Amino acid sequence: MATETQKTYIAWTLRIIVAVLFIVSALAKLSKAQLLDSPYFAISTFEVKQLYPMGFSEGFAPFFSRTLIGIELALGLLLLQKNYLRKFIIPITILLLSVFIGHLSYVTFLSGGNTGNCGCFGELIPMTPIEAIIKNIVAVGLLAYLFVLLPKKTKSENFWVLTTVLFATILAIFMLAPIQPPASNFEVSSPEETTTDTIQQVTVDTTAIIVSKDTIKKIEAEKTEVKKEITEPEKHKSGYASYFSKIDNGRKTLCFFVPGCDHCRVAAKELTELKQKDKNFPEISIIFMNEEADLIPDFFKYAGAEYPFKIIEVIPFWKVLGSGKDTPGVKYLWNGNEYKYYYGITENKFDPVDYQKLINKPFSELKK
């Protein structure tokens, strides 16, 4: 049996470990926002990898993320004081970690993989979702043991200490990472001012025909209309010309990949295999998310070929990818018109067999 002195030492050790974990996690999420010279106001990978894909709006996500990080920092500091530690602070901290565990488990289940940085420690300590889940489970175990070690009866406690620390930390986060008006670096080729939110699929008028006027030889003769077959769609400005100048000319394959994403690498390799079999395969261009960009050489090595690419920041990437969409993304464009968009790894995922059939279809069949 441990003595009271030993219990006190163990309890303080646990408090310090978990407190440091929370404090470092909160501050790490701010690091990229402070270091990046960017017009975007995202707080590191946490906001763009967790909040935007969940459907948080660009206006609400910055407020939610800063408030949540402020709460995380407050809990880390409050674990080092005695007021309502056992009654309130520890249970709330366990609850918050449980929510994180549930969310990360759900995301991992949906994505079917364990790749990329979940953003729990920003860019300071990249962690995969599984690693973050294990870290949180360990923290819950330490807090549960701490809860058992602490005495049930305590002296008078001051609730104002909790509220003061909480509001002070949230305010400090907003001061350290002030929200700036968002700016978009996605420039479309249209002369009219627009943003990525205005990029929409344009439907070609498939009923249009060209009638020859020289078919009437005599007034008494039967009128005959000669239809000229349209073999390709009219040119349309897709909005991607700011990335690839010739993207709206001819048939193109436009991809949205993350360098460290295993599913993206598989899709790229499948495209390479298709391209090797078909000399007329639509030219491949890639828009990479600016996350682990140093892995791009390895990405192309796995894919088996190199392709023209552009790297854009994380928030613009998600906006260009499209609301509700996920990586890997593969689009079939013809003269700037979009005819197919594969995305994610579920029912809409990239299908090389389907894509090969699609690109070999004449325009007359695509119109149907």
Side-chain angles (χ1 to χ4, degrees):
M1 292 291 292
T3 64
E4 290 300 321
T5 302
Q6 290 175 327
K7 287 183 179 180
T8 301
Y9 284 132
I10 294 174
W12 266 107
T13 300
L14 296 178
R15 290 167 68 179
I16 292 173
I17 291 174
V18 180
V20 169
L21 187 69
F22 269 71
I23 294 171
V24 172
S25 176
L27 296 179
K29 291 183 177 72
L30 295 174
S31 60
K32 191 174 183 181
Q34 300 303 308
L35 295 176
L36 280 180
D37 182 16
S38 170
Y40 295 95
F41 49 77
I43 293 184
S44 191
T45 311
F46 168 73
E47 189 172 300
V48 294
K49 288 297 293 293
Q50 300 297 334
L51 301 186
Y52 283 95
M54 288 174 61
F56 281 75
S57 68
E58 189 175 348
F60 180 67
F63 290 94
F64 182 85
S65 63
R66 285 158 176 76
T67 301
L68 185 60
I69 293 171
I71 293 173
E72 186 177 19
L73 179 59
L75 289 174
L77 296 174
L78 291 172
L79 282 169
L80 300 176
Q81 56 85 54
K82 62 181 181 179
N83 293 281
Y84 289 94
L85 181 60
R86 191 176 189 275
K87 293 180 182 179
F88 190 79
I89 300 302
I90 293 178
I92 288 297
T93 307
I94 291 176
L95 177 61
L96 183 63
L97 288 171
S98 300
V99 171
F100 289 158
I101 292 171
H103 168 66
L104 290 171
S105 300
Y106 178 69
V107 170
T108 304
F109 173 76
L110 286 183
S111 64
N114 179 42
T115 59
N117 180 13
C118 69
C120 295
F121 283 100
E123 300 298 326
L124 181 64
I125 308 176
M127 299 186 73
T128 65
I130 296 298
E131 291 172 340
I133 291 172
I134 294 174
K135 179 262 296 181
N136 290 339
I137 291 175
V138 172
V140 168
L142 295 178
L143 287 169
Y145 185 40
L146 176 60
F147 184 84
V148 173
L149 289 176
L150 293 176
K152 296 181 179 180
K153 295 182 178 180
T154 57
K155 297 180 181 180
S156 59
E157 298 171 307
N158 188 347
F159 192 78
W160 285 105
V161 174
L162 275 60
T163 56
T164 301
V165 172
L166 176 62
F167 288 114
T169 52
I170 293 177
L171 178 61
I173 297 300
F174 276 87
M175 293 176 65
L176 288 172
I179 299 175
Q180 302 294 334
S184 176
N185 68 349
F186 185 90
E187 298 177 359
V188 297
S189 53
S190 172
E192 298 178 355
E193 289 189 2
T194 182
T195 65
T196 53
D197 296 329
T198 64
I199 298 176
Q200 300 176 348
Q201 179 174 337
V202 176
T203 304
V204 178
D205 183 1
T206 59
T207 62
I209 58 175
I210 299 176
V211 180
S212 173
K213 297 181 180 180
D214 298 326
T215 57
I216 303 177
K217 296 182 179 180
K218 294 183 181 180
I219 299 177
E220 296 82 4
E222 182 180 356
K223 185 182 297 184
T224 304
E225 292 182 349
V226 178
K227 300 179 181 180
K228 181 180 179 182
E229 182 181 3
I230 301 176
T231 58
E232 64 178 43
E234 295 181 2
K235 289 189 177 182
H236 167 69
K237 294 181 179 180
S238 64
Y240 301 109
S242 59
Y243 297 119
F244 307 101
S245 59
K246 298 181 180 180
I247 194 70
D248 296 336
N249 298 327
R251 301 184 306 126
K252 308 292 182 181
T253 300
L254 180 62
C255 305
F256 303 92
F257 292 150
V258 181
C261 169
D262 290 339
H263 297 289
C264 297
R265 294 188 177 202
V266 171
K269 186 175 183 179
E270 291 172 337
L271 285 168
T272 299
E273 292 172 352
L274 291 178
K275 190 175 187 301
Q276 291 172 346
K277 298 176 183 178
D278 189 348
K279 295 181 179 179
N280 297 318
F281 193 85
E283 180 182 336
I284 300 173
S285 300
I286 301 175
I287 295 179
F288 278 118
M289 177 194 288
N290 190 13
E291 182 187 71
E292 300 179 306
D294 58 304
L295 297 179
I296 291 178
D298 291 336
F299 184 98
F300 285 135
K301 183 177 180 180
Y302 184 90
E306 295 185 5
Y307 302 105
F309 68 91
K310 296 292 183 181
I311 304 174
I312 62 176
E313 291 301 322
V314 184
I315 292 179
F317 179 88
W318 283 108
K319 294 177 68 176
V320 174
L321 184 66
S323 177
K325 306 299 190 300
D326 202 352
T327 55
V330 178
K331 279 190 178 184
Y332 177 43
L333 303 174
W334 194 346
N335 285 349
N337 298 277
E338 178 186 318
Y339 285 100
K340 188 70 175 183
Y341 190 5
Y342 304 93
Y343 56 87
I345 60 171
T346 53
E347 65 274 6
N348 295 309
K349 68 179 181 179
F350 176 68
D351 184 343
V353 176
D354 179 71
Y355 194 57
Q356 186 174 32
K357 293 179 180 178
L358 177 67
I359 62 176
N360 288 322
K361 286 184 178 181
F363 178 61
S364 58
E365 292 186 22
L366 284 177
K367 296 189 297 180
K368 297 179 180 178

